[in-house]
Amino acid sequence: MANKSKFQAIRGTRDLLPPDTALWNRVEQTAHELFTTYGFGEIRPPIFEPTDLFARAVGGDTDIVGKEMYTFPDHNLRDLEAALYPICNPAIDLDDPKDLMALVADLRVFLEQFAVHQKQDEVPKTSENASAVARLHTLAEKIDSLRLAAEDMDLMSWHALFQEVSAAAKEIRLGDMVSLRPEATASVCRAYIEHNMQQLPQPVKLYYMGPMFRRERPQKGRYRQFYQIGAEILGGPDAPAIDAELIEMLMTFFDKCGLQGTELSINSIGHAADNCRRGYVAKLREELLKVKDKLGADSQRRIETNPLRVLDSKLEHEQPIIATLPRIADHLCDECRAHYAAVKHNLDLRGVAYRENWRLVRGLDYYMRTTFEITAQGLGSQNAVCGGGRYDGLVELLGGPPTKGIGFAIGEDRLILSLQEGGKMLAARGPDVLIAWMGQNAYATAIRAAKTLRNAGFRVELPATELKFGKALERASKLGSRFALILGDNEIQSGEWTLKNLATSEQQKLSEQALLEYLRG
Ligand code: HAM
């Protein structure tokens, strides 16, 4: 029997529906218009990219890369995949020699098929694949020779051998690993390099909007497919005014959207040098080790992996401990301290209000110097509507020339939520006119009238089937239409159409031309 269970949007994803989508469009339109006035152009990078791009840019130890990306091998080799499966997951009864034979046979089949696809350039020619295949060949021969020699191997040794086969098989990649983008800064830097944008007048200012994907635990304001509006400035001089102007644009954008209760926090996390952040991190680790026993498991782990992230902790009992830790502002090198002071001065010049937050370290590896975050009201625990910062060095890390960089990304879902909580809804708008047509004669005129009115920019509802007069008016009022245009035999003969105002019930006769003028007025 056919499975009739209903489909639902996947957990953490959702449909954006009218009338909400009107608000989404207005927010996006505001970004297009405002960002253009600051000299930004739009970039639309792909939604998936090589996994390595994000791993290198965002950082292998970050939550995003470590556990939140949607990653898959990009190939269409179903036969090879099916052949690989039994050797990755050998279901072997060690007492049964037939099973042993089967495994060796499976292994041979896979290796033969792999060789065929490799010849046709259909599998990635990586050193990892080459060494895994070489190991599988060796293991196949070893199993064969052991079997032929009918040596008495104990079960444990066979078991270990199968594990070796399985481990080598799991190293094989049938396609290049790709990931749905968890963010877009890495893509923008990749595009900057790929299109030689360093040859354009610098800095290059780009903005983007679209879906991002992170496998996080869904909750209010946190989704697995979410939307960002972001902007990046690449290249150009070492000028703190660039940081300040970008932040000014961001705050102007929120203002134009009507977002309430925004708070801008800023910090400087210096640069990776012993006399700057590296020195600070060493000192921080030292201090954290002294209080390790009092910290939660996550923070304890981070003392080793990334002590800065301990500062992000929201655990209540860790707060008084964190308050006593050394602060990065006291450990910045002279250049980074001067840069931070100049950013603040430039924000003051622009009248941008900010709060300094020495604990603002951000969760992506590429940041240096300026970091910032904006929170808004009505969002509960997920109240960051925007995060950003400077990332000089990222373009170089991805294989490009030394290039300065700074940018931000706004969480559009959260922005919309906060606007809606603040009462900024766009009411559902019904049609301007519903055309109540009666009779086939009138239908041809109704089609023409609908076209003319839509061309003039009016929202028109043209019923696809003939409705009785009462039913047509009922439909018009259900849809919230402002007017009903009534077209029957009389109207067609006289050329005078009847327009009914549905709010006042007033009716009037108008020629086609007069109707347009009346509606425009
Ligand atoms: P991020 O802080 O990871 O930074 O994300 C920026 C914003 O995206 C967050 O402040 C939040 O509003 C929103 N966001 C993140 N994850 C989710 C989620 N699961 N559901 C809903 N909204 C979310 C970046 O992505 C950097 N690329 C920003 C940047 C651009 N830095 C420099 N240039």
Side-chain angles (χ1 to χ4, degrees):
M1 215 170 73
N3 182 355
K4 289 208 175 156
S5 63
K6 283 189 202 145
F7 290 109
Q8 282 190 331
I10 289 172
R11 194 166 128 81
T13 74
R14 62 207 181 116
D15 301 302
L16 306 174
L17 300 170
D20 293 355
T21 36
L23 187 53
W24 283 75
N25 280 325
R26 198 169 70 185
V27 158
E28 287 168 14
Q29 194 53 34
T30 305
H32 286 299
E33 285 166 13
L34 178 73
F35 295 179
T36 309
T37 68
Y38 278 81
F40 284 76
E42 186 183 3
I43 176 171
R44 298 191 187 194
I47 302 248
F48 58 98
E49 299 257 17
T51 303
D52 280 349
L53 171 68
F54 301 116
R56 195 159 343 144
V58 177
D61 285 337
T62 58
D63 285 351
I64 295 179
V65 171
K67 44 187 192 196
E68 294 171 0
M69 284 206 297
Y70 286 92
T71 296
F72 50 93
D74 181 20
H75 69 82
N76 195 16
L77 306 171
R78 299 291 158 237
D79 58 336
L80 200 53
E81 192 175 48
L84 182 58
Y85 184 82
I87 53 175
C88 283
N89 310 282
I92 298 281
D93 176 355
L94 291 173
D95 288 335
D96 189 346
K98 278 206 308 283
D99 279 1
L100 258 184
M101 311 264 285
L103 176 70
V104 181
D106 285 344
L107 195 47
R108 296 270 182 226
V109 167
F110 170 75
L111 289 170
E112 255 167 50
Q113 285 191 14
F114 189 88
V116 171
H117 286 292
Q118 198 170 32
K119 228 183 222 158
Q120 292 164 353
D121 263 346
E122 290 171 341
V123 284
K125 283 195 173 132
T126 57
S127 55
E128 288 84 358
N129 272 356
S131 80
V133 166
R135 258 167 68 209
L136 286 176
H137 273 294
T138 313
L139 286 164
E141 263 144 45
K142 188 168 171 186
I143 295 174
D144 257 352
S145 64
L146 286 171
R147 243 178 355 103
L148 288 177
E151 266 183 43
D152 255 352
M153 266 207 1
D154 60 86
L155 291 185
M156 290 302 282
S157 308
W158 278 118
H159 191 70
L161 210 49
F162 292 136
Q163 295 217 312
E164 261 190 80
V165 170
S166 161
K170 282 177 180 160
E171 294 288 304
I172 291 191
R173 294 283 168 264
L174 300 186
D176 296 321
M177 298 308 281
V178 299
S179 297
L180 300 186
R181 60 182 188 191
E183 61 106 53
T185 308
S187 302
V188 175
C189 291
R190 196 252 320 124
Y192 180 87
I193 300 167
E194 187 170 334
H195 303 288
N196 282 319
M197 290 192 218
Q198 69 272 15
Q199 283 166 10
L200 301 174
Q202 305 290 302
V204 172
K205 302 181 187 180
L206 297 166
Y207 75 93
Y208 51 86
M209 47 186 78
M212 309 290 155
F213 305 85
R214 294 183 195 174
R215 203 170 187 291
E216 294 193 83
R217 199 167 42 78
Q219 65 181 87
K220 180 183 172 188
R222 189 159 72 188
Y223 311 97
R224 290 179 172 181
Q225 174 173 341
F226 61 100
Y227 295 78
Q228 283 187 344
I229 300 177
E232 315 288 348
I233 302 180
L234 290 161
D238 190 5
I242 291 182
D243 308 40
E245 192 182 74
L246 182 77
I247 296 174
E248 175 201 293
M249 176 175 92
L250 182 58
M251 299 315 284
T252 308
F253 169 72
F254 285 138
D255 215 37
K256 283 191 182 289
C257 290
L259 188 68
Q260 282 159 13
T262 52
E263 215 175 87
L264 164 67
S265 305
I266 61 167
N267 191 21
S268 172
I269 58 166
H271 79 297
D274 287 343
N275 66 341
C276 201
R277 187 172 61 233
R278 254 204 310 265
Y280 168 71
V281 168
K283 178 102 187 94
L284 186 63
R285 184 174 280 133
E286 210 179 289
E287 293 303 312
L288 283 169
L289 281 172
K290 291 183 193 158
V291 292
K292 184 171 178 181
D293 296 346
K294 298 190 186 122
L295 299 171
D298 276 348
S299 293
Q300 289 199 0
R301 188 169 35 81
R302 285 177 172 150
I303 296 178
E304 287 316 316
T305 57
N306 191 351
L308 280 179
R309 291 307 305 280
V310 175
L311 305 182
D312 258 357
S313 162
K314 306 265 184 314
L315 286 185
E316 197 138 334
H317 81 272
E318 292 185 349
Q319 302 310 308
I321 304 172
I322 293 173
T324 64
L325 292 171
R327 304 185 170 208
I328 188 146
D330 302 328
H331 295 81
L332 293 178
C333 68
D334 291 346
E335 288 81 12
C336 287
R337 183 174 312 118
H339 184 273
Y340 186 36
V343 170
K344 288 185 280 184
H345 174 62
N346 269 277
L347 286 173
D348 294 337
L349 282 178
R350 290 170 165 78
V352 176
Y354 57 85
R355 197 172 66 88
E356 287 183 74
N357 176 4
W358 68 278
R359 288 174 54 177
L360 181 60
V361 291
R362 312 265 307 125
L364 300 86
D365 279 358
Y366 49 62
Y367 291 114
M368 51 92 66
R369 289 192 170 167
T370 315
T371 55
F372 55 93
E373 217 162 76
I374 290 124
T375 52
Q377 66 180 23
L379 291 172
S381 63
Q382 303 302 315
N383 64 349
V385 279
C386 177
R390 180 160 279 289
Y391 50 84
D392 299 358
L394 177 54
V395 168
E396 201 175 350
L397 182 72
L398 298 177
T403 308
K404 309 227 165 283
I406 183 167
F408 64 74
I410 295 160
E412 197 178 354
D413 307 74
R414 295 184 190 174
L415 168 59
I416 299 283
L417 260 177
S418 182
L419 288 173
Q420 288 174 333
E421 299 271 331
K424 292 263 179 327
M425 313 274 225
L426 287 190
R429 278 176 82 188
D432 295 308
V433 180
L434 179 135
I435 303 181
W437 58 273
M438 276 143 286
Q440 283 308 308
N441 263 347
Y443 186 47
T445 309
I447 291 173
R448 191 165 52 76
K451 225 180 209 171
T452 312
L453 289 171
R454 283 172 179 153
N455 266 341
F458 295 106
R459 293 186 305 277
V460 176
E461 187 66 22
L462 176 66
T465 55
E466 184 170 348
L467 299 176
K468 294 229 163 62
F469 185 61
K471 280 267 177 249
L473 289 191
E474 200 180 299
R475 164 90 62 92
S477 82
K478 262 195 195 145
L479 290 174
S481 184
R482 287 165 59 215
F483 297 99
L485 176 65
I486 300 155
L487 295 179
D489 286 341
N490 289 345
E491 281 79 9
I492 304 308
Q493 268 161 26
S494 67
E496 292 279 292
W497 300 353
T498 307
L499 187 71
K500 185 179 173 86
N501 182 324
L502 292 164
T504 61
S505 291
E506 277 173 76
Q507 261 183 218
Q508 55 184 316
K509 296 266 182 197
L510 294 163
S511 70
E512 186 173 349
Q513 190 51 38
L515 171 75
L516 267 180
E517 273 157 29
Y518 178 80
L519 289 174
R520 282 203 183 108

